[in-house]
Amino acid sequence: MERPDRRDFMIASIATVGASAALVAGAARAQETGTAATGSGTVYTGDIIQGKKVVSALDVNDLEPGQKHFLYFEGVEAPTGQHWYVSVTVARGAKPGKRVVMTSGVHGDEMSSIHTVQTVMSQLDPAQMSGTVMAVTDVSRPALESMQRRWPNQGRGGDLIDMNREWPGNENGFTAPSRHAGMLFNRLLRPNADAAIDFHTGTTGFDVSAFNIGETSRPEVKAMLDLYPVSQILDMPKVAYPTVLHNAFVDAGIPAFAPEIGAARILDHEMIALFVEGTMNVLKHHGILPGPMGRTAEGMNVFIGNSGFPVLATEGGIVEHLVKLNDKVEAGQKVAIQRDSFGEVVAEYTCAVSGEVAGLRSDAMTEPGNPIVMVLFHKTVPDGIEIYPE
């Protein structure tokens, strides 16, 4: 791939809004220097890693139907000049049909999301499929390698960048996560998606319930949300977090949403099973898989909120929760108490809204400013959105 020179970076910084044309040109340059499949957008670099071919661009239509394919995508360069490679699994059906993209590992501490995608892919038989399912399980590879949520970036001094604030990225951006996001979105994700699901969990130290994030006002998104047997939906408007991955898909005209699957750094098999079943329902909904639907939201009392209210710690000490995930709470209800090292109560916390508990701090010790409870609620006057402590 041709490397952007200093002028490319300067142009990108000045004209970010108009960067899409430059990104397309960058992809075209890469296709000129790589080995492209005939008449397609797939570019093989010629490298093989652990027996798997490496691509710098992919068109799933170039892959053999009725089979599973295992590839590496060549992502952004590291400081050594080597690349961060992303794992790609494609189940291409024997018959044509819709294309669904599943992503996980945008944050490096989200294990249940990765296992959910892997489980879905293991259950697919391409010989019985119509259409294609593509899974990318380690989007933020350096964050996963260091088992932390954010991408450790050294370009302008040590910092940690949340890659789920970088989409759709910029191939000529100033930071490695921005460039990586641009490469993945332009050359791998967007070109192969008719619908997309970006899987997540809570952050390290913060547990969440089983819920989905998506705009219920979009009929194609709402239809997919209703296929999951989970009892909470955060109807989050795109304007609240415009640079998260599922909203980048939506901006590109691709229906998308984001499941949240419990706590970080663990495998919650009970929750994983719910999201595997719901995702298989989505694939049936799009005609990719045959067979009857599994459990859905039908018959469940699904709570839909459009905001997440964080109860923040005002003191340091050990927190004791007085509510559990999915509990209903009323405005003014006491939800937690906090004790210092002597065991004396230093704070009592109440919730300012009525709704359902969707998140609890799982680290017992906290310092001021940390969210200790997140309550999903419905705001009748849309004057903004509280911060969702993902």
Side-chain angles (χ1 to χ4, degrees):
M1 166 186 164
E2 181 178 327
R3 293 173 174 79
D5 59 22
R6 176 176 173 81
R7 182 171 180 273
D8 290 327
F9 282 98
M10 294 299 293
I11 291 172
S13 67
I14 296 169
T16 303
V17 174
S20 59
L23 303 184
V24 172
R29 289 197 300 270
Q31 291 180 23
E32 290 171 3
T33 57
T35 304
T38 303
S40 75
T42 300
V43 180
Y44 292 96
T45 68
D47 296 324
I48 295 179
I49 300 175
Q50 296 177 325
K52 298 173 177 62
K53 293 181 179 180
V54 179
V55 297
S56 59
L58 179 65
D59 181 348
V60 295
N61 293 319
D62 297 329
L63 302 177
E64 187 70 23
Q67 296 181 17
K68 283 186 181 177
H69 302 268
F70 303 93
L71 304 163
Y72 278 112
F73 177 84
E74 183 183 76
V76 73
E77 281 190 63
T80 60
Q82 296 177 334
H83 293 265
W84 287 110
Y85 293 96
V86 174
S87 307
V88 181
T89 303
V90 180
R92 184 162 186 222
K95 299 177 182 178
K98 291 288 186 68
R99 303 164 304 163
V100 171
V101 167
M102 302 188 298
T103 54
S104 61
V106 172
H107 293 125
D109 58 353
E110 298 184 336
M111 299 300 105
S112 287
S113 64
I114 294 172
H115 193 67
T116 299
V117 175
Q118 291 173 336
T119 304
V120 170
M121 295 304 293
S122 71
Q123 295 182 10
L124 300 182
D125 178 3
Q128 305 300 318
M129 290 170 48
S130 300
T132 301
V133 181
M134 183 176 76
V136 182
T137 51
D138 48 9
V139 170
S140 187
R141 191 62 180 266
L144 280 158
E145 296 288 357
S146 52
M147 285 295 292
Q148 61 184 354
R149 189 165 187 81
R150 295 174 176 85
W151 182 302
N153 188 70
Q154 306 299 326
R156 302 180 189 284
D159 60 354
L160 296 170
I161 295 178
D162 186 340
M163 198 174 178
N164 211 27
R165 299 296 181 271
E166 296 291 329
W167 302 96
N170 181 346
E171 290 192 40
N172 291 322
F174 280 114
T175 68
S178 175
R179 296 192 296 275
H180 190 68
M183 294 168 71
L184 263 68
F185 197 72
N186 295 328
R187 307 181 190 189
L188 179 67
L189 302 178
R190 180 181 59 187
N192 295 301
D194 296 312
I197 312 171
D198 182 35
F199 293 83
H200 289 268
T201 75
T203 187
T204 293
F206 199 81
D207 193 4
V208 300
S209 59
F211 69 96
N212 283 313
I213 302 174
E215 289 188 83
T216 60
S217 61
R218 299 178 183 272
E220 292 175 304
V221 173
K222 180 61 162 56
M224 292 189 286
L225 295 173
D226 289 341
L227 294 175
Y228 284 79
V230 298
S231 60
Q232 290 180 344
I233 293 174
L234 173 53
D235 184 14
M236 190 172 73
K238 186 174 68 65
V239 294
Y241 290 102
T243 54
V244 301
L245 178 51
H246 79 271
N247 281 334
F249 278 115
V250 170
D251 276 343
I254 299 164
F257 62 98
E260 295 279 348
I261 314 173
R265 300 180 70 89
I266 66 169
L267 295 182
D268 188 327
H269 290 286
E270 186 175 345
M271 280 197 190
I272 288 169
L274 298 176
F275 287 94
V276 168
E277 189 166 6
T279 303
M280 298 298 280
N281 288 339
V282 168
L283 299 182
K284 294 171 184 175
H285 166 75
H286 287 294
I288 294 173
L289 297 181
M293 292 285 183
R295 293 173 298 171
T296 68
E298 185 176 0
M300 300 181 69
N301 186 22
V302 178
F303 185 88
I304 301 177
N306 60 8
S307 294
F309 181 83
V311 179
L312 303 179
T314 58
E315 306 287 338
I318 297 176
V319 174
E320 178 184 346
H321 293 300
L322 304 178
V323 292
K324 301 185 298 298
L325 292 175
N326 296 103
D327 278 357
K328 294 187 181 299
V329 295
E330 299 296 329
Q333 180 178 334
K334 188 187 299 184
V335 294
I337 60 175
Q338 189 175 28
R339 293 184 171 88
D340 62 14
S341 298
F342 297 98
E344 296 179 339
V345 175
V346 294
E348 296 183 343
Y349 297 99
T350 59
C351 183
V353 300
S354 297
E356 287 193 5
V357 178
L360 293 172
R361 183 171 176 81
S362 54
D363 286 349
M365 185 76 76
T366 188
E367 60 187 8
N370 284 334
I372 55 177
V373 179
M374 194 267 282
V375 175
L376 182 65
F377 76 107
H378 185 76
K379 180 183 289 188
T380 55
V381 180
D383 57 350
I385 186 169
E386 278 69 24
I387 295 171
Y388 164 47
E390 64 162 332

